[in-house]
Amino acid sequence: MDLERIIKRLRHEGCDNEEVEAKTAQDGFPERLAETVCAFANRPDGGLILLGLQEAEHFKAVGVYDIGKCLQHANEVARRAVEPPVHITCSTHRYEGADLVAIQVHETDPSQKPVRVKKGDQEAFLRQYDGNFELSDLEVQAFIAGRTTHHYDLEPVEGADPDRDLNADLVGAYVRMRRSSSTTLASASQNDILTRTGVLTAQGQITIAGLLGLGVYPQQFFPTLSFQAYITPGENDPAGTRALDSRIFAGPLSVMLDDIVLWVARNTRNRIRIDETGMGVNEPDYPEVVVRELVANALIHRDVGPHARSSQPLLRLNSGFMVISNPGGLHGLSVRNLGRGPSHTRNCYLADIATHLQTQDGKRVIERLGSGIPTAQLALRQAQMQAIQFHDSGLQFTAKVYARSSPLTQVVRGSDHVPAALPVSSGKARITPRQQLLLQCLGVGPLTRQELVQRTGLSSRNVAGLLRSLRQANLVGMTGGRGHPRSEYFLVEARPSER
C-alpha cells in the first residue's frame, strides 16, 4: 500500500473519496464505523479506512488513541457488527511522526451481498463518492439478484405477439446476417433462427432481448427500456429551470443508438479548425466514436431484471462534460480491468443479438470483441482529451467524459490559458491541476460554489476542499457568509465585479 500517495490524494482533493475514508480516532474509536465497513464490503473492490488523520485540518496526521485497542475494535466491528462478517486486513504505519491504522475492507462475495449493519433496523449501506448511503428496498433486491446468474433478457414478454410486435425489416436483416455468419444456421428457417438465438422462446413468445433488438416499439411493454437525455441548466437560464431539451428516446436498440448520437452532436459544439495542410478539420466536443460506444454499452449492459425496471439509462450534458449512466454495475469484472480483456455482460442473449444488428449507417450496434472501451479511449488520446472516468457503485455504472472545450481538457493539454492574475507557480505552494481548473473558471468573474461544481464537473465536497486550500494560500477570496449558497468566490488579484 502506497500510504503517501493515498494521503497526498486526500489532501489534493480536500475530502474523502469513494475508495478511502479517513477518521480521526485521536480520542477514541470512531462511532458508526460499522456503516463504512458495510458500505465498503458491498462496493466493488472494497475500500480503505485510515484512522489517525484529521480531515478538518487538511488530513493532518494526528495519530490514534491506542494502536492495540484500535486493531481490536476494528476486528470486532468486522466480525460482530455486520452480517455476514466482513474480511479485513489491518496494518499500522508511522507517518509524519504519528501512528496510523489502516483497515483494508475486502469486497464481500456477491453470493452474500448485501452486507448489513446488525444494530438498529439492520440497514445495508453502499459507498458513493465520499459518503455512505442506505440501500432502498429495490437496491437490496438488485444485490440479492446478483447472487446468482439470471438470464432476465430471456424472460418472455407477456402480451407481445411476434407477428404484430416484431419489426419485419429488422427481423429480415437479422436473419440474413445470422445465416451469412453461421454455417449451422445457413439453411435454418426464420422461426428456427429466432428461437435458437433467443429472440423467441420455445413456446413462440418474444423475449425481452428479442423485443429490445427487433421490436417495433419495445417501450409499449416496458416504458423504462428507453433512454433519457437532457442538458443541465446554465447560469443564465431562468430560476427554477430543471433541464433543457429533455428527451426520452424509444424504439429498438439500433434506432435509439442512432438518435442519441445525433442528439449529442446537435447539442454540443463542433469546432472547424484549419490544419497545417490548409484543410478544414471538424473537432466535435465529443468524438462520435466515444459517444456511440458509451451509449451502446449503456443500452446493452443495463440491468433488465424486475428490480431495475423502474430506472433507465441516462445521458446528461453539463457545461464541460457528459455523464452516461445505466442501472446495474459491471458484471464479471471491475473498473480496473475494464477494456483489458474479453467483454463481459449480464445480458448474454441481448448482446449476441446486438452483434447481428446494424444501424442506419451500416455499422454493427456492437462488435463484442472487448474493443469498444479501448477504441473510445484511443480516440480521446488522439484528440488530446481526458480519458473516460468510470464509476461502479455495484448498482449503477457511470461514465464521465470531459468535452474538448472543457477547462480541464485545456489543463491536460498543458494550455497556458490562465487568467493574467493567476501566478502559475506560487511561492507558497505548487498549484495542482484541479486548483488551476477552479482558478481558470474564476478568471471570468466571481462564482458560487454550485456554479463551480457545474463548470468543473467536480463534486461539491471536492470543490469545497479546493476552495478552502486556495483561500488559505490567499489566491481566492469570498464575499458573503460562510456556508451560504449565494456566497461568491473570486481571484484575490481580481476585483470582484457586480453580476
Side-chain angles (χ1 to χ4, degrees), residues 253-302:
L253 278 177
S254 57
V255 172
M256 285 194 287
L257 179 57
D258 275 340
D259 289 349
I260 297 163
V261 171
L262 287 173
W263 182 88
V264 171
R266 179 170 60 84
N267 283 290
T268 53
R269 293 179 15 164
N270 183 32
R271 181 175 62 194
I272 300 177
R273 180 179 60 84
I274 305 301
D275 65 13
E276 60 275 6
T277 68
M279 300 294 291
V281 179
N282 285 328
E283 292 186 337
D285 253 356
Y286 303 99
E288 181 182 322
V289 65
V290 177
V291 179
R292 182 173 292 275
E293 291 294 344
L294 294 180
V295 170
N297 278 347
L299 287 168
I300 291 163
H301 299 299
R302 63 150 296 168

Side-chain angles (χ1 to χ4, degrees), residues 338-355:
L338 190 62
R340 296 184 179 180
S343 61
H344 295 258
T345 179
R346 60 165 45 82
N347 302 315
C348 298
Y349 288 89
L350 177 59
D352 186 51
I353 291 170
T355 60

Side-chain angles (χ1 to χ4, degrees), residues 380-391:
L380 291 172
R381 286 197 300 273
Q382 292 173 338
Q384 292 184 287
M385 296 170 64
Q386 273 230 57
I388 306 166
Q389 297 179 5
F390 296 107
H391 174 72

Side-chain angles (χ1 to χ4, degrees), residues 273-423:
R273 180 179 60 84
I274 305 301
D275 65 13
E276 60 275 6
T277 68
M279 300 294 291
V281 179
N282 285 328
E283 292 186 337
D285 253 356
Y286 303 99
E288 181 182 322
V289 65
V290 177
V291 179
R292 182 173 292 275
E293 291 294 344
L294 294 180
V295 170
N297 278 347
L299 287 168
I300 291 163
H301 299 299
R302 63 150 296 168
D303 193 341
V304 297
H307 50 272
R309 291 176 195 162
S310 60
S311 303
Q312 62 191 150
L314 175 68
L315 186 153
R316 183 176 83 249
L317 284 177
N318 209 320
S319 176
F321 63 95
M322 172 178 67
V323 175
I324 300 175
S325 60
N326 60 270
L330 289 174
H331 185 79
L333 75 166
S334 65
V335 168
R336 187 183 300 112
N337 298 321
L338 190 62
R340 296 184 179 180
S343 61
H344 295 258
T345 179
R346 60 165 45 82
N347 302 315
C348 298
Y349 288 89
L350 177 59
D352 186 51
I353 291 170
T355 60
H356 296 84
L357 297 177
Q358 291 185 334
T359 55
Q360 292 180 351
D361 56 4
K363 297 178 181 177
R364 293 192 188 214
V365 172
I366 60 170
E367 294 294 341
R368 209 180 180 187
L369 298 173
S371 61
I373 296 301
T375 298
Q377 297 285 37
L378 175 62
L380 291 172
R381 286 197 300 273
Q382 292 173 338
Q384 292 184 287
M385 296 170 64
Q386 273 230 57
I388 306 166
Q389 297 179 5
F390 296 107
H391 174 72
D392 179 19
S393 72
L395 297 177
Q396 184 181 63
F397 181 68
T398 301
K400 183 176 184 179
V401 185
Y402 283 95
R404 189 188 300 266
S405 58
S406 165
L408 191 56
T409 297
Q410 304 307 318
V411 170
V412 170
R413 289 175 177 167
S415 171
D416 56 1
H417 297 159
V418 182
L422 171 62

Side-chain angles (χ1 to χ4, degrees), residues 9 13 33-34 95 102 110 113 135 152 157 178 198 216 240-241 257 275 287 308 337 353 385 429 446 453 477 493:
R9 179 184 173 187
E13 296 181 350
L33 196 71
Y95 189 80
K113 290 184 182 179
L135 294 177
Y152 288 119
V157 180
R178 279 292 191 178
V216 174
T241 304
L257 179 57
D275 65 13
N337 298 321
I353 291 170
M385 296 170 64
V453 169
E493 293 87 349

Side-chain angles (χ1 to χ4, degrees), residues 115-157:
V115 176
R116 299 175 182 269
V117 175
K118 285 185 177 181
K119 188 177 179 180
D121 296 329
Q122 293 193 329
E123 296 290 345
F125 291 84
L126 187 66
R127 187 73 175 181
Q128 288 189 313
Y129 303 104
D130 54 6
N132 308 317
F133 298 88
E134 291 184 21
L135 294 177
S136 67
D137 290 342
L138 280 177
E139 290 171 330
V140 170
Q141 290 180 33
F143 268 118
I144 294 173
R147 293 176 178 175
T148 57
T149 300
H150 293 273
H151 293 299
Y152 288 119
D153 54 338
L154 272 187
E155 284 189 4
V157 180

